[in-house]
Amino acid sequence: PAQDENGNPMHVAWFEPEHHIVRAASGFFMERFSNMRWAILTPDCSVLWDQECLQWGPGATAAQAPGPDAGEALWLAYYQSTFNPARLKEQAMLREMPRRYWKNLPETQLISGLVAGARSRTGDMLAAQPGARRA
């Protein structure tokens, strides 16, 4: 994570919500992540939790958010390792997370490659089953 002005870990997220939801959603994040210092940056406003109170600030740009860190690399590795090509349902995936949200999710950079290889990986898994017919 990034660090605050005292060198303490600070988790920072950049998001572009379609609606003005940061104030309404901030209570959830305050309760869920009360033991962490965090900030959410959006084009319209920003919010910082310092483990004592929420602090509101002006909007930000994506360039003002810190770049990817080791936590993001770990998340991408986890996402890739748990992707099950035999259970791929592209339409269901798109219903749950429409493409318009993909720009805010680091794992979406992996989806095209994972989907492209899913059918051949599924075939390989089926062929590797004991007693499977081989063509």
Side-chain angles (χ1 to χ4, degrees):
Q3 294 181 343
D4 67 12
E5 64 279 352
N6 297 321
N8 297 313
M10 169 74 73
H11 300 273
V12 181
W14 161 254
F15 190 66
E16 295 178 83
E18 290 184 10
H19 305 285
H20 301 286
I21 61 162
V22 177
R23 288 189 185 273
S26 61
F28 165 81
F29 291 102
M30 183 180 67
E31 289 178 26
R32 176 69 174 87
F33 303 108
S34 62
N35 63 338
M36 302 166 73
R37 297 176 193 289
W38 53 262
I40 300 173
L41 311 176
T42 75
D44 296 317
C45 69
S46 60
V47 61
L48 167 75
W49 171 249
D50 64 3
Q51 297 179 303
E52 292 180 19
C53 66
L54 290 172
Q55 300 173 35
W56 297 95
T61 66
Q64 291 173 296
D69 62 7
E72 184 169 315
L74 181 63
W75 165 245
L76 293 175
Y78 171 79
Y79 186 86
Q80 189 166 14
S81 70
T82 60
F83 182 85
N84 184 343
R87 299 193 66 190
L88 177 62
K89 292 182 175 30
E90 292 177 69
Q91 293 306 312
M93 180 176 64
L94 290 171
R95 271 193 310 277
E96 294 296 320
M97 185 57 64
R99 286 189 195 276
R100 68 180 180 267
Y101 299 116
W102 286 24
K103 64 184 176 185
N104 292 303
L105 301 170
E107 65 272 21
T108 57
Q109 65 186 313
L110 302 173
I111 290 175
S112 294
L114 292 170
V115 169
R119 286 177 184 76
S120 65
R121 286 184 60 203
T122 300
D124 293 346
M125 286 187 283
L126 292 171
Q129 290 182 358
R133 292 188 318 173
R134 304 204 189 264

